[in-house]
Amino acid sequence: MKTAGVNHIDLKAALIDMDGVLYDSMRNHTAAWYRMATEMGIDCCREEFYLYEGMTGAATIDILFNRAYGHPATPDEARVLYARKAQYFAEQGKPVMMPDADRMLATLRDSGIMRVLVTGSGQQSILDRLDSDYPGIFLPGKRVTAHNVTHGKPNPEPYLKGMEMAGCAATECIVIENAPLGVQAGKAAGCFTVAVTTGPIPRERLVESGADIVYGSMTEFADALPHLISLFREND
Ligand code: MG
């Protein structure tokens, strides 16, 4: 049995999102956004921030500002508010590593598939931990973060930059995502996009966003990955 869409992929690189994929960190992010916004008196609900995952911090702040005040934030306001959100995130302590993400990454490494980190995050408290939490997985020069992209997801730029770092074409990459905007970005970059449901976002939202395959958990994806890789390879 061949999975739909697998037959045009010559798999060489995996472009891997961070929050909600490598770390079970989205609840901390949404709590930090909710605290920052409600302290400003902006009406919002915590769940909405799950759907903004992947946008730049400035884009999320503009959604809040446009809704509350009818205009976007100034660059200075956005910088101050994003720093406050980052502080509230860091104050919650270390988010836990996503169970079985290490097993998923080891399968990619052992199969000779290059790993490139592709996150819209500029959250230094978590980026600093990648080398100790996932040693040897993301080599220097193989990390796309908020520091080297202009556009957040769903713009394809972060994944296009990841492909460039990998030195691979879209047909040689898979994207691994957990959020609708990230899935849209992966598809817009032309990549086969795997979605993993690791939070409250329902599977249907990921399908609607264009995911080629949706797994119900990281454990399920880690279990299935060796077979998925063999499907890609038998089509070489
Ligand atoms: Mg994510």
Side-chain angles (χ1 to χ4, degrees):
M1 189 197 80
K2 294 190 178 178
T3 306
V6 165
N7 56 359
H8 66 285
I9 306 296
D10 175 18
L11 183 58
K12 296 197 170 114
L15 312 179
I16 305 165
D17 176 46
M18 182 172 76
D19 287 293
V21 171
L22 303 180
Y23 293 96
D24 193 3
S25 48
M26 280 313 300
R27 72 192 70 189
N28 297 21
H29 281 291
T30 59
W33 278 116
Y34 183 73
R35 181 178 167 193
M36 188 277 277
T38 51
E39 279 180 2
M40 293 181 67
I42 294 179
D43 191 30
C44 61
C45 73
R46 183 169 163 183
E47 299 302 307
E48 72 178 280
F49 295 104
Y50 282 101
L51 298 175
Y52 305 154
E53 184 190 346
M55 284 181 194
T56 61
T60 298
I61 289 164
D62 277 349
I63 287 178
L64 297 170
F65 264 60
N66 282 321
R67 192 169 64 204
Y69 311 128
H71 60 80
T74 66
D76 278 347
E77 285 169 330
R79 197 161 34 245
V80 168
L81 293 171
Y82 186 69
R84 191 178 302 161
K85 180 264 166 179
Q87 181 198 330
Y88 292 164
F89 176 83
E91 281 175 8
Q92 296 170 75
K94 184 177 162 175
V96 293
M97 291 164 69
M98 187 64 73
D100 285 322
D102 55 349
R103 191 157 61 86
M104 177 273 288
L105 293 169
T107 298
L108 293 172
R109 182 196 60 210
D110 296 347
S111 305
I113 296 164
M114 184 190 297
R115 292 80 49 202
V116 179
L117 182 81
V118 181
T119 177
S121 178
Q123 192 83 48
Q124 206 57 39
S125 63
I126 191 165
L127 289 167
D128 286 343
R129 292 176 32 209
L130 276 172
D131 286 322
S132 52
D133 287 342
Y134 296 106
I137 294 293
F138 298 104
L139 301 178
K142 300 284 186 270
R143 301 174 190 205
V144 178
T145 71
H147 304 303
N148 45 17
V149 291
T150 312
H151 306 289
K153 302 164 185 175
N155 191 291
E157 185 198 13
Y159 283 113
L160 292 173
K161 199 142 234 172
M163 282 159 50
E164 192 184 310
M165 282 181 181
C168 290
T171 51
E172 297 171 323
C173 298
I174 59 168
V175 162
I176 302 171
E177 263 291 349
N178 71 299
L181 297 181
V183 169
Q184 287 176 40
K187 291 306 294 177
C191 298
F192 185 95
T193 301
V194 172
V196 188
T197 58
T198 61
I201 296 170
R203 174 187 194 93
E204 293 68 36
R205 291 298 292 259
L206 298 166
V207 172
E208 285 162 16
S209 296
D212 292 288
I213 302 185
V214 183
Y215 293 97
S217 67
M218 185 55 72
T219 299
E220 195 184 297
F221 177 45
D223 288 346
L225 185 56
H227 180 62
L228 184 63
I229 291 170
S230 73
L231 288 174
F232 287 123
R233 296 214 155 138
E234 75 186 39
N235 285 298
D236 280 359

mmCIF file with all atom_site columns, all heavy atoms in Angstrom, residues 17-21 26 53-54 119 153 176-179 182 198, ligand 1:
data_model
loop_
_atom_site.group_PDB
_atom_site.id
_atom_site.type_symbol
_atom_site.label_atom_id
_atom_site.label_alt_id
_atom_site.label_comp_id
_atom_site.label_asym_id
_atom_site.label_entity_id
_atom_site.label_seq_id
_atom_site.pdbx_PDB_ins_code
_atom_site.Cartn_x
_atom_site.Cartn_y
_atom_site.Cartn_z
_atom_site.occupancy
_atom_site.B_iso_or_equiv
_atom_site.pdbx_formal_charge
_atom_site.auth_seq_id
_atom_site.auth_comp_id
_atom_site.auth_asym_id
_atom_site.auth_atom_id
_atom_site.pdbx_PDB_model_num
ATOM   1   N  N   . ASP A 1 17  ? 9.250  21.777 12.867 1.00 0.00 ? 17  ASP A N   1
ATOM   2   C  CA  . ASP A 1 17  ? 8.761  22.836 13.750 1.00 0.00 ? 17  ASP A CA  1
ATOM   3   C  C   . ASP A 1 17  ? 9.179  22.519 15.199 1.00 0.00 ? 17  ASP A C   1
ATOM   4   O  O   . ASP A 1 17  ? 9.523  21.376 15.519 1.00 0.00 ? 17  ASP A O   1
ATOM   5   C  CB  . ASP A 1 17  ? 7.235  22.880 13.607 1.00 0.00 ? 17  ASP A CB  1
ATOM   6   C  CG  . ASP A 1 17  ? 6.586  23.882 14.536 1.00 0.00 ? 17  ASP A CG  1
ATOM   7   O  OD1 . ASP A 1 17  ? 7.072  25.017 14.626 1.00 0.00 ? 17  ASP A OD1 1
ATOM   8   O  OD2 . ASP A 1 17  ? 5.584  23.510 15.174 1.00 0.00 ? 17  ASP A OD2 1
ATOM   9   N  N   . MET A 1 18  ? 9.148  23.513 16.058 1.00 0.00 ? 18  MET A N   1
ATOM   10  C  CA  . MET A 1 18  ? 9.626  23.312 17.438 1.00 0.00 ? 18  MET A CA  1
ATOM   11  C  C   . MET A 1 18  ? 8.488  23.222 18.464 1.00 0.00 ? 18  MET A C   1
ATOM   12  O  O   . MET A 1 18  ? 8.284  22.182 19.089 1.00 0.00 ? 18  MET A O   1
ATOM   13  C  CB  . MET A 1 18  ? 10.581 24.446 17.819 1.00 0.00 ? 18  MET A CB  1
ATOM   14  C  CG  . MET A 1 18  ? 11.178 24.298 19.213 1.00 0.00 ? 18  MET A CG  1
ATOM   15  S  SD  . MET A 1 18  ? 12.468 25.516 19.551 1.00 0.00 ? 18  MET A SD  1
ATOM   16  C  CE  . MET A 1 18  ? 11.509 26.983 19.847 1.00 0.00 ? 18  MET A CE  1
ATOM   17  N  N   . ASP A 1 19  ? 7.744  24.320 18.637 1.00 0.00 ? 19  ASP A N   1
ATOM   18  C  CA  . ASP A 1 19  ? 6.694  24.323 19.670 1.00 0.00 ? 19  ASP A CA  1
ATOM   19  C  C   . ASP A 1 19  ? 5.567  23.378 19.266 1.00 0.00 ? 19  ASP A C   1
ATOM   20  O  O   . ASP A 1 19  ? 5.071  23.434 18.141 1.00 0.00 ? 19  ASP A O   1
ATOM   21  C  CB  . ASP A 1 19  ? 6.144  25.735 19.860 1.00 0.00 ? 19  ASP A CB  1
ATOM   22  C  CG  . ASP A 1 19  ? 7.133  26.633 20.582 1.00 0.00 ? 19  ASP A CG  1
ATOM   23  O  OD1 . ASP A 1 19  ? 7.389  26.379 21.773 1.00 0.00 ? 19  ASP A OD1 1
ATOM   24  O  OD2 . ASP A 1 19  ? 7.670  27.563 19.951 1.00 0.00 ? 19  ASP A OD2 1
ATOM   25  N  N   . GLY A 1 20  ? 5.173  22.534 20.173 1.00 0.00 ? 20  GLY A N   1
ATOM   26  C  CA  . GLY A 1 20  ? 4.104  21.589 19.876 1.00 0.00 ? 20  GLY A CA  1
ATOM   27  C  C   . GLY A 1 20  ? 4.583  20.370 19.092 1.00 0.00 ? 20  GLY A C   1
ATOM   28  O  O   . GLY A 1 20  ? 3.802  19.461 18.825 1.00 0.00 ? 20  GLY A O   1
ATOM   29  N  N   . VAL A 1 21  ? 5.872  20.358 18.708 1.00 0.00 ? 21  VAL A N   1
ATOM   30  C  CA  . VAL A 1 21  ? 6.461  19.195 18.034 1.00 0.00 ? 21  VAL A CA  1
ATOM   31  C  C   . VAL A 1 21  ? 7.603  18.641 18.896 1.00 0.00 ? 21  VAL A C   1
ATOM   32  O  O   . VAL A 1 21  ? 7.578  17.479 19.290 1.00 0.00 ? 21  VAL A O   1
ATOM   33  C  CB  . VAL A 1 21  ? 6.953  19.556 16.609 1.00 0.00 ? 21  VAL A CB  1
ATOM   34  C  CG1 . VAL A 1 21  ? 7.760  18.413 16.006 1.00 0.00 ? 21  VAL A CG1 1
ATOM   35  C  CG2 . VAL A 1 21  ? 5.758  19.865 15.711 1.00 0.00 ? 21  VAL A CG2 1
ATOM   36  N  N   . MET A 1 26  ? 2.959  24.552 24.029 1.00 0.00 ? 26  MET A N   1
ATOM   37  C  CA  . MET A 1 26  ? 1.917  25.468 23.575 1.00 0.00 ? 26  MET A CA  1
ATOM   38  C  C   . MET A 1 26  ? 1.014  25.954 24.704 1.00 0.00 ? 26  MET A C   1
ATOM   39  O  O   . MET A 1 26  ? 0.535  27.078 24.694 1.00 0.00 ? 26  MET A O   1
ATOM   40  C  CB  . MET A 1 26  ? 1.103  24.848 22.430 1.00 0.00 ? 26  MET A CB  1
ATOM   41  C  CG  . MET A 1 26  ? 1.797  24.941 21.088 1.00 0.00 ? 26  MET A CG  1
ATOM   42  S  SD  . MET A 1 26  ? 2.468  26.601 20.747 1.00 0.00 ? 26  MET A SD  1
ATOM   43  C  CE  . MET A 1 26  ? 0.988  27.603 20.794 1.00 0.00 ? 26  MET A CE  1
ATOM   44  N  N   . GLU A 1 53  ? -0.526 30.110 16.459 1.00 0.00 ? 53  GLU A N   1
ATOM   45  C  CA  . GLU A 1 53  ? 0.800  29.508 16.535 1.00 0.00 ? 53  GLU A CA  1
ATOM   46  C  C   . GLU A 1 53  ? 1.487  29.529 15.178 1.00 0.00 ? 53  GLU A C   1
ATOM   47  O  O   . GLU A 1 53  ? 0.889  29.132 14.172 1.00 0.00 ? 53  GLU A O   1
ATOM   48  C  CB  . GLU A 1 53  ? 0.701  28.059 17.026 1.00 0.00 ? 53  GLU A CB  1
ATOM   49  C  CG  . GLU A 1 53  ? 2.083  27.481 17.198 1.00 0.00 ? 53  GLU A CG  1
ATOM   50  C  CD  . GLU A 1 53  ? 2.103  25.988 17.460 1.00 0.00 ? 53  GLU A CD  1
ATOM   51  O  OE1 . GLU A 1 53  ? 1.052  25.408 17.778 1.00 0.00 ? 53  GLU A OE1 1
ATOM   52  O  OE2 . GLU A 1 53  ? 3.185  25.426 17.334 1.00 0.00 ? 53  GLU A OE2 1
ATOM   53  N  N   . GLY A 1 54  ? 2.730  29.987 15.163 1.00 0.00 ? 54  GLY A N   1
ATOM   54  C  CA  . GLY A 1 54  ? 3.500  30.043 13.923 1.00 0.00 ? 54  GLY A CA  1
ATOM   55  C  C   . GLY A 1 54  ? 3.637  31.449 13.380 1.00 0.00 ? 54  GLY A C   1
ATOM   56  O  O   . GLY A 1 54  ? 4.579  31.761 12.670 1.00 0.00 ? 54  GLY A O   1
ATOM   57  N  N   . THR A 1 119 ? 11.265 27.251 13.013 1.00 0.00 ? 119 THR A N   1
ATOM   58  C  CA  . THR A 1 119 ? 10.299 27.795 13.967 1.00 0.00 ? 119 THR A CA  1
ATOM   59  C  C   . THR A 1 119 ? 10.158 29.293 13.775 1.00 0.00 ? 119 THR A C   1
ATOM   60  O  O   . THR A 1 119 ? 11.117 29.969 13.399 1.00 0.00 ? 119 THR A O   1
ATOM   61  C  CB  . THR A 1 119 ? 10.737 27.502 15.416 1.00 0.00 ? 119 THR A CB  1
ATOM   62  O  OG1 . THR A 1 119 ? 9.810  28.113 16.308 1.00 0.00 ? 119 THR A OG1 1
ATOM   63  C  CG2 . THR A 1 119 ? 12.136 28.021 15.716 1.00 0.00 ? 119 THR A CG2 1
ATOM   64  N  N   . LYS A 1 153 ? 4.803  32.083 9.644  1.00 0.00 ? 153 LYS A N   1
ATOM   65  C  CA  . LYS A 1 153 ? 3.838  31.191 9.014  1.00 0.00 ? 153 LYS A CA  1
ATOM   66  C  C   . LYS A 1 153 ? 2.466  31.890 9.113  1.00 0.00 ? 153 LYS A C   1
ATOM   67  O  O   . LYS A 1 153 ? 2.246  32.625 10.062 1.00 0.00 ? 153 LYS A O   1
ATOM   68  C  CB  . LYS A 1 153 ? 3.825  29.859 9.759  1.00 0.00 ? 153 LYS A CB  1
ATOM   69  C  CG  . LYS A 1 153 ? 5.220  29.193 9.796  1.00 0.00 ? 153 LYS A CG  1
ATOM   70  C  CD  . LYS A 1 153 ? 5.269  28.091 10.845 1.00 0.00 ? 153 LYS A CD  1
ATOM   71  C  CE  . LYS A 1 153 ? 6.690  27.530 10.969 1.00 0.00 ? 153 LYS A CE  1
ATOM   72  N  NZ  . LYS A 1 153 ? 6.829  26.545 12.039 1.00 0.00 ? 153 LYS A NZ  1
ATOM   73  N  N   . ILE A 1 176 ? 7.329  18.744 9.249  1.00 0.00 ? 176 ILE A N   1
ATOM   74  C  CA  . ILE A 1 176 ? 6.673  18.130 10.417 1.00 0.00 ? 176 ILE A CA  1
ATOM   75  C  C   . ILE A 1 176 ? 6.117  19.255 11.287 1.00 0.00 ? 176 ILE A C   1
ATOM   76  O  O   . ILE A 1 176 ? 6.876  20.075 11.811 1.00 0.00 ? 176 ILE A O   1
ATOM   77  C  CB  . ILE A 1 176 ? 7.657  17.247 11.200 1.00 0.00 ? 176 ILE A CB  1
ATOM   78  C  CG1 . ILE A 1 176 ? 8.216  16.153 10.281 1.00 0.00 ? 176 ILE A CG1 1
ATOM   79  C  CG2 . ILE A 1 176 ? 6.951  16.632 12.429 1.00 0.00 ? 176 ILE A CG2 1
ATOM   80  C  CD1 . ILE A 1 176 ? 9.356  15.346 10.876 1.00 0.00 ? 176 ILE A CD1 1
ATOM   81  N  N   . GLU A 1 177 ? 4.823  19.301 11.411 1.00 0.00 ? 177 GLU A N   1
ATOM   82  C  CA  . GLU A 1 177 ? 4.107  20.434 12.023 1.00 0.00 ? 177 GLU A CA  1
ATOM   83  C  C   . GLU A 1 177 ? 3.024  19.954 12.989 1.00 0.00 ? 177 GLU A C   1
ATOM   84  O  O   . GLU A 1 177 ? 2.621  18.797 12.968 1.00 0.00 ? 177 GLU A O   1
ATOM   85  C  CB  . GLU A 1 177 ? 3.418  21.240 10.913 1.00 0.00 ? 177 GLU A CB  1
ATOM   86  C  CG  . GLU A 1 177 ? 4.193  22.451 10.440 1.00 0.00 ? 177 GLU A CG  1
ATOM   87  C  CD  . GLU A 1 177 ? 4.272  23.571 11.476 1.00 0.00 ? 177 GLU A CD  1
ATOM   88  O  OE1 . GLU A 1 177 ? 3.553  23.515 12.497 1.00 0.00 ? 177 GLU A OE1 1
ATOM   89  O  OE2 . GLU A 1 177 ? 5.057  24.509 11.274 1.00 0.00 ? 177 GLU A OE2 1
ATOM   90  N  N   . ASN A 1 178 ? 2.519  20.886 13.799 1.00 0.00 ? 178 ASN A N   1
ATOM   91  C  CA  . ASN A 1 178 ? 1.396  20.569 14.682 1.00 0.00 ? 178 ASN A CA  1
ATOM   92  C  C   . ASN A 1 178 ? 0.253  21.580 14.578 1.00 0.00 ? 178 ASN A C   1
ATOM   93  O  O   . ASN A 1 178 ? -0.776 21.383 15.199 1.00 0.00 ? 178 ASN A O   1
ATOM   94  C  CB  . ASN A 1 178 ? 1.865  20.556 16.146 1.00 0.00 ? 178 ASN A CB  1
ATOM   95  C  CG  . ASN A 1 178 ? 2.185  21.951 16.632 1.00 0.00 ? 178 ASN A CG  1
ATOM   96  O  OD1 . ASN A 1 178 ? 3.067  22.604 16.081 1.00 0.00 ? 178 ASN A OD1 1
ATOM   97  N  ND2 . ASN A 1 178 ? 1.464  22.431 17.626 1.00 0.00 ? 178 ASN A ND2 1
ATOM   98  N  N   . ALA A 1 179 ? 0.467  22.682 13.832 1.00 0.00 ? 179 ALA A N   1
ATOM   99  C  CA  . ALA A 1 179 ? -0.504 23.779 13.887 1.00 0.00 ? 179 ALA A CA  1
ATOM   100 C  C   . ALA A 1 179 ? -0.977 24.153 12.478 1.00 0.00 ? 179 ALA A C   1
ATOM   101 O  O   . ALA A 1 179 ? -0.232 24.020 11.507 1.00 0.00 ? 179 ALA A O   1
ATOM   102 C  CB  . ALA A 1 179 ? 0.131  25.001 14.551 1.00 0.00 ? 179 ALA A CB  1
ATOM   103 N  N   . GLY A 1 182 ? 1.207  26.528 10.348 1.00 0.00 ? 182 GLY A N   1
ATOM   104 C  CA  . GLY A 1 182 ? 2.455  25.859 9.985  1.00 0.00 ? 182 GLY A CA  1
ATOM   105 C  C   . GLY A 1 182 ? 2.248  24.878 8.850  1.00 0.00 ? 182 GLY A C   1
ATOM   106 O  O   . GLY A 1 182 ? 3.085  24.771 7.942  1.00 0.00 ? 182 GLY A O   1
ATOM   107 N  N   . THR A 1 198 ? -0.943 17.413 18.815 1.00 0.00 ? 198 THR A N   1
ATOM   108 C  CA  . THR A 1 198 ? -0.293 17.302 20.127 1.00 0.00 ? 198 THR A CA  1
ATOM   109 C  C   . THR A 1 198 ? -0.943 18.247 21.130 1.00 0.00 ? 198 THR A C   1
ATOM   110 O  O   . THR A 1 198 ? -0.420 18.427 22.223 1.00 0.00 ? 198 THR A O   1
ATOM   111 C  CB  . THR A 1 198 ? 1.214  17.639 20.029 1.00 0.00 ? 198 THR A CB  1
ATOM   112 O  OG1 . THR A 1 198 ? 1.347  18.983 19.566 1.00 0.00 ? 198 THR A OG1 1
ATOM   113 C  CG2 . THR A 1 198 ? 1.944  16.695 19.089 1.00 0.00 ? 198 THR A CG2 1
HETATM 114 MG MG  . MG  B 2 .   ? 4.255  24.231 16.375 1.00 0.00 ? 1   MG  B MG  1
#
